[in-house]
């Protein structure tokens, strides 16, 4: 369910060319937690350049800076220093999408752990992970790429707690780490870590590691056919994303603002005002990245129109109105220019050959 919304503003100073490629799964969980605590989730987003509703867009991504900004505000707003650990322990495995389905399809726990390392970029892009085999354990090591100690600690706590919780749900409650090592010093609430991980936790270690049993535990839902399909789907997604340039944080912000209402899109001046800057400054910053408002508007309209033509039964007139075209004829000419097909011909192609925009 979408959260109550009020306009989120960006504090003075627009982002530069930093890429926006982090799925906001944790931020969505954080916003839900704020709402449960009686807080307006929009308070978390103030200064980040997006609204709580944007977190529900499956294609929306945030930058490192935006992620850290929202987490930092969440820690201050909720006043719970163990927030990363708590949210990780309460994670819903479904929110991990295809990766969680891959875990459920693995034959045993060791295959699951290898799969997690192999597809680490598909469940967050917040950590660098590696596997390490020791005489008595198989270790999953991880470190956050955030220089900020507070944010890095949140990321590690959240991922370790979430990963252990997902493993218990997929493999069974008896599959548990035998020890957890954390590079951070033991905090006053250190006992909470033992409660979550149900094993000894060593603080002040050289690196962050989960020590799992070496012997394999069977996965009850194993299905090699589904696992093969998940691998193909993840590879296909990586191939698509590899061909598509990762937008900068500024690009993603402006595109998302346009995308909210293509029928009546915000003007560049209105977007600039919402970002606490001038239209002239925003135009200049876009031009520095080879972008213009007109081009971004056209890209968003094109993507939405082609998706609706391929995946919906709406009339050309309805699609034209939703995407902000003056009439069906204008959209027909645009589709012909983009694809070499009429809207009707494109629909037939989609139905016959599975064409996708």
């Amino acid at each position: 369910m979408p959260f109550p919304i009020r306009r989120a503003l960006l504090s003075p100073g627009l982002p530069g060319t930093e890429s926006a490629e982090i799925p906001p799964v944790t931020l969505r969980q954080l916003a839900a937690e704020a709402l449960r605590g009686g807080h307006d989730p929009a308070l978390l987003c103030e200064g980040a350049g997006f609204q709580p509703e944007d977190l529900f867009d499956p294609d929306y991504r945030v930058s490192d800076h935006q992620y850290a900004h929202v987490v930092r505000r969440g820690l201050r707003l909720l006043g719970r220093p163990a927030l990363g650990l708590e949210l990780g322990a309460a994670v819903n495995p479904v929110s991990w999408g295809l990766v969680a389905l891959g875990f459920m399809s693995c034959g045993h726990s060791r295959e699951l752990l290898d799969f997690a390392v192999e597809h680490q970029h598909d469940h967050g892009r917040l950590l660098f992970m590696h596997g390490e085999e020791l005489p008595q354990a198989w270790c999953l090591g991880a470190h956050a790429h955030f220089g900020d100690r507070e944010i890095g600690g949140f990321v590690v706590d959240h991922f370790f707690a979430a990963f252990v919780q997902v493993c218990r749900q997929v493999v069974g409650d008896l599959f548990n780490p035998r020890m957890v090592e954390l590079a951070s010093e033991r905090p006053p609430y250190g006992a909470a870590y033992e409660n979550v991980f149900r094993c000894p936790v060593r603080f002040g270690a050289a690196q962050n590691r989960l020590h799992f049993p070496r012997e394999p535990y069977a996965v009850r839902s194993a299905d090699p056919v589904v696992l093969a399909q998940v691998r193909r789907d993840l590879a296909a997604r990586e191939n698509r994303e590899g061909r598509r340039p990762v937008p900068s944080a500024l690009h993603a912000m402006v595109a998302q603002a346009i995308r909210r209402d293509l029928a009546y899109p915000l003007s560049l001046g209105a977007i600039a005002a919402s970002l606490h800057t001038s239209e002239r400054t925003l135009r200049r910053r876009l031009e520095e990245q080879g972008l213009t408002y007109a081009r971004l508007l056209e890209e968003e309209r094109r993507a939405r129109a082609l998706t609706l033509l391929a995946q919906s039964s709406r009339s050309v007139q309805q699609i034209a109105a939703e995407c902000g075209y003056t009439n069906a004829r204008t959209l027909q000419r645009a589709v012909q220019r983009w694809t070499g097909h009429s809207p009707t011909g494109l629909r037939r192609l989609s139905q016959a050959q599975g064409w996708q925009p």
Side-chain angles (χ1 to χ4, degrees):
M1 173 182 290
F3 303 120
I5 300 165
R6 65 189 182 84
R7 181 171 294 279
L9 301 175
L10 184 71
S11 54
L14 293 172
T17 57
E18 178 186 30
S19 62
E21 53 182 339
I22 300 172
V25 176
T26 305
L27 302 189
R28 197 162 59 239
Q29 188 186 16
L30 185 56
E33 190 67 18
L35 186 62
R36 275 192 291 272
H39 303 284
D40 183 353
L43 293 172
L44 299 175
C45 301
E46 285 188 355
F50 60 83
Q51 298 178 359
E53 65 175 353
D54 296 328
L55 302 176
F56 289 89
D57 182 342
D59 296 321
Y60 191 62
R61 299 292 184 269
V62 299
S63 67
D64 287 0
H65 175 77
Q66 289 172 304
Y67 178 92
H69 178 89
V70 175
V71 168
R72 194 174 290 110
R73 289 184 68 86
L75 289 167
R76 304 292 184 273
L77 180 68
L78 297 177
R80 287 153 51 187
L83 187 60
L85 188 72
E86 295 168 7
L87 293 181
V91 74
N92 178 359
V94 173
S95 66
W96 285 19
L98 276 176
V99 172
L101 181 58
F103 290 170
M104 296 171 64
S105 307
C106 289
H108 49 76
S109 57
R110 178 58 185 272
E111 187 175 25
L112 184 158
L113 296 170
D114 288 337
F115 184 91
V117 174
E118 179 184 355
H119 295 283
Q120 58 183 280
H121 293 307
D122 295 302
H123 51 83
R125 297 178 183 271
L126 296 168
L127 293 158
F128 299 106
M129 294 165 48
H130 67 276
E132 181 181 0
E133 192 156 4
L134 300 180
Q136 301 300 323
W138 191 93
C139 293
L140 180 67
H143 70 274
H145 59 245
F146 291 90
D148 185 294
R149 182 176 300 178
E150 180 182 44
I151 303 304
F154 175 94
V155 169
V156 172
D157 286 357
H158 184 274
F159 175 75
F160 273 12
F163 187 71
V164 168
Q165 177 66 14
V166 171
C167 285
R168 287 174 184 152
Q169 293 190 39
V170 171
V171 182
D173 203 49
L174 294 178
F175 182 68
N176 202 65
R178 292 178 172 170
M179 182 173 68
V180 175
E181 292 180 293
L182 294 171
S184 58
E185 297 300 321
R186 184 181 181 89
Y189 50 88
Y193 289 83
E194 281 89 2
N195 291 335
V196 167
F197 294 117
R198 305 178 197 167
C199 69
V201 178
R202 185 163 70 88
F203 293 90
Q207 56 183 312
N208 305 299
R209 295 193 300 186
L210 294 170
H211 291 245
F212 285 102
R214 285 192 60 182
E215 60 273 19
Y217 285 60
V219 175
R220 294 166 293 188
S221 54
D223 190 320
V225 175
V226 173
L227 180 59
Q229 183 61 56
V230 168
R231 290 185 184 277
R232 284 196 296 270
D233 290 347
L234 288 172
R237 185 170 71 184
E238 182 178 359
N239 187 44
R240 287 195 305 272
E241 293 179 351
R243 293 197 306 265
R244 186 172 59 221
V246 176
S248 68
L250 180 61
H251 181 169
M253 271 184 205
V254 176
Q256 187 70 11
I258 292 171
R259 195 179 301 138
R260 290 187 192 117
D261 189 351
L262 288 173
Y264 302 98
L266 290 175
S267 67
L268 184 63
I271 296 173
S274 75
L275 299 177
H276 274 191
T277 190
S278 68
E279 179 177 351
R280 180 179 180 182
T281 297
L282 180 56
R283 180 182 292 109
R284 175 173 55 80
R285 294 295 296 275
L286 287 171
E287 288 173 350
E288 289 172 358
Q289 298 183 28
L291 302 170
T292 66
Y293 171 80
R295 174 185 160 192
L296 292 176
L297 176 58
E298 179 68 6
E299 286 178 353
E300 293 302 323
R301 283 178 165 162
R302 177 184 187 276
R304 182 61 176 159
L306 293 181
T307 297
L308 290 174
L309 283 169
Q311 300 178 4
S312 81
S313 58
R314 297 177 201 176
S315 69
V316 175
Q317 182 64 50
Q318 289 173 322
I319 295 173
E322 181 171 334
C323 295
Y325 291 97
T326 53
N327 52 51
R329 185 176 294 277
T330 303
L331 176 58
Q332 288 169 347
R333 288 197 296 266
V335 172
Q336 186 73 40
R337 184 175 71 251
W338 297 331
T339 69
H341 298 278
S342 67
T344 302
L346 195 65
R347 270 202 162 131
R348 291 198 188 104
L349 184 65
S350 176
Q351 293 167 358
Q353 301 180 19
W355 179 88
Q356 294 293 326

